[in-house]
C-alpha cells in the first residue's frame, strides 16, 4: 500500500516535522517519492523513482524549512507500472481551461473500462495516471461547486470494485476521498487540516469518513459529496477482493 500526505491551511505553516516522519516510512514503500507544493496557480513538483529513505536530494531538501498553504506528498509501493519517473506520484495534468490538476492515489483500479482508452495517451503505465486523465477530460469552465459535483460523480463511478484513496488539488480546493478503512486520517489544527495514511505524531488524529468525497479550502471543509456505499474490503483469508454495499448491511 502506498502512503498519502496532504495539507490545506488558511496561512503558510512549516511542515518539515510531518514530512520527515512521513518520508521515513519509505522502507515499506520503496518505489518512489513525490512532493507537490502549490503557489496560487503554479505547482512546484519534486519527485524521484527511488526510496525516500535513500534519496540524497530529499535528505538535503528537508533540511530547509518548508512552508506551505497547500501540498500533497506520496511514497509509492508499486502495484501497476515499473519504477521510473513517469510512474511516480503525484501526477499533474491540465483541463481544457488550462487549470492544473494534481493527483496522488493510494489504491488499485482492478477493472474499469472507462479508463482503458487512456492507456495509449498517458506518459506512464499506472492506473492512477489514468484516473487523472479521466478527470481532466470531463472538466469544463466550471465554478468551484460545479467542479466538485463533477468530481463527486466521477468518484462515485470509479469507486465501484476499486480501491480509491485520493488526494487531488485543482488550484483552489483540496479533494479527499477514501473507501478503505484505516487508510486515511486527518488532524484539524485551528485553520489547518492535515491528512495522512497513518498518524504522524501523538495528537488525536481521526479517520476520514469512508465512501464520500470532501473538498477543503483554506483549512476548512466546504463541500461534502454523495455517500456512495462502495467500500473496499481486503479479505486476508483468501486474498480476494470483496466489495460491500452498505445498503445490505
Amino acid at each position: 500500500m502506498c502512503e498519502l500526505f496532504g495539507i490545506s491551511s488558511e496561512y503558510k505553516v512549516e511542515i518539515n516535522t510531518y514530512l520527515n516522519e512521513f518520508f521515513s516510512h519509505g522502507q515499506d514503500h520503496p518505489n518512489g517519492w513525490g512532493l507537490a507544493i502549490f503557489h496560487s496557480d503554479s505547482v512546484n513538483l519534486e519527485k524521484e523513482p527511488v526510496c525516500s529513505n535513500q534519496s540524497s536530494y530529499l535528505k538535503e531538501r528537508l533540511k530547509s524549512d518548508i512552508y506551505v498553504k497547500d501540498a500533497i506528498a506520496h511514497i509509492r509501493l508499486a502495484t501497476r507500472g515499473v519504477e521510473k519517473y513517469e510512474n511516480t506520484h503525484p501526477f499533474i495534468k491540465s483541463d481544457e481551461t488550462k487549470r492544473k490538476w494534481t493527483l496522488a492515489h493510494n489504491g488499485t483500479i482492478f477493472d474499469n473500462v472507462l479508463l482503458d482508452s487512456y492507456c495509449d495517451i498517458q506518459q506512464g503505465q499506472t492506473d492512477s495516471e489514468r484516473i487523472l486523465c479521466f478527470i481532466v477530460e470531463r472538466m469544463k469552465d466550471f465554478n468551484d461547486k460545479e467542479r466538485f459535483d463533477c468530481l463527486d460523480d466521477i468518484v462515485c463511478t470509479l469507486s465501484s470494485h476499486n480501491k480509491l484513496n485520493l488526494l487531488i488539488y485543482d488550484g483552489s480546493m483540496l479533494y479527499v476521498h477514501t473507501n478503505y478503512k484505516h487508510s486515511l486520517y486527518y488532524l484539524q489544527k485551528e485553520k489547518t487540516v492535515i491528512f495522512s495514511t497513518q498518524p504522524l505524531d501523538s495528537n488525536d488524529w481521526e479517520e476520514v469518513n469512508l465512501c464520500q468525497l470532501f473538498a477543503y479550502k483554506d483549512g476548512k471543509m466546504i463541500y461534502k459529496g454523495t455517500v456512495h456505499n462502495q467500500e473496499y474490503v481486503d479479505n486476508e483469508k483468501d486474498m480476494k477482493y470483496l466489495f460491500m454495499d452498505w445498503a445490505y448491511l
Side-chain angles (χ1 to χ4, degrees), residues 199-244:
L200 299 175
D201 60 21
S202 60
N203 284 304
D204 294 326
W205 294 68
E206 299 183 49
E207 287 197 57
V208 174
N209 287 347
L210 288 175
C211 302
Q212 187 175 19
L213 181 68
F214 301 96
Y216 287 80
K217 193 172 187 176
D218 295 332
K220 299 177 182 178
M221 183 196 301
I222 57 173
Y223 299 124
K224 292 182 179 181
T226 307
V227 180
H228 56 70
N229 302 331
Q230 294 290 338
E231 180 183 350
Y232 170 94
V233 178
D234 183 359
N235 189 326
E236 294 182 358
K237 181 177 181 180
D238 57 13
M239 297 304 293
K240 293 180 181 178
Y241 300 100
L242 306 177
F243 300 88
M244 300 165 56

Side-chain angles (χ1 to χ4, degrees), residues 160-176:
S160 179
H161 298 148
N162 296 307
K163 181 184 176 186
L164 203 66
N165 289 355
L166 294 170
L167 292 180
I168 302 171
Y169 189 73
D170 69 356
S172 175
M173 298 182 291
L174 177 67
Y175 304 89
V176 181

Side-chain angles (χ1 to χ4, degrees), residues 71-95:
I72 291 174
H74 186 276
I75 46 178
R76 182 177 184 234
L77 178 63
T79 57
R80 303 285 174 89
V82 298
E83 189 176 285
K84 64 178 185 177
Y85 183 87
E86 291 83 356
N87 292 328
T88 306
H89 304 228
F91 302 99
I92 300 176
K93 295 189 182 297
S94 298
D95 64 24

Side-chain angles (χ1 to χ4, degrees), residues 38-65:
F38 307 104
H39 309 279
S40 185
D41 60 349
S42 66
V43 186
N44 178 37
L45 177 63
E46 302 165 274
K47 60 182 183 178
E48 293 180 298
V50 300
C51 178
S52 57
N53 288 346
Q54 299 173 4
S55 170
S56 57
Y57 173 83
L58 181 59
K59 182 179 179 180
E60 290 301 312
R61 181 73 172 93
L62 294 175
K63 289 180 180 178
S64 299
D65 293 342

Side-chain angles (χ1 to χ4, degrees), residues 109-123:
I109 301 296
F110 296 101
D111 181 26
N112 197 302
V113 295
L114 295 174
L115 303 183
D116 290 347
S117 61
Y118 302 104
C119 291
D120 294 333
I121 64 173
Q122 66 181 130
Q123 294 181 341

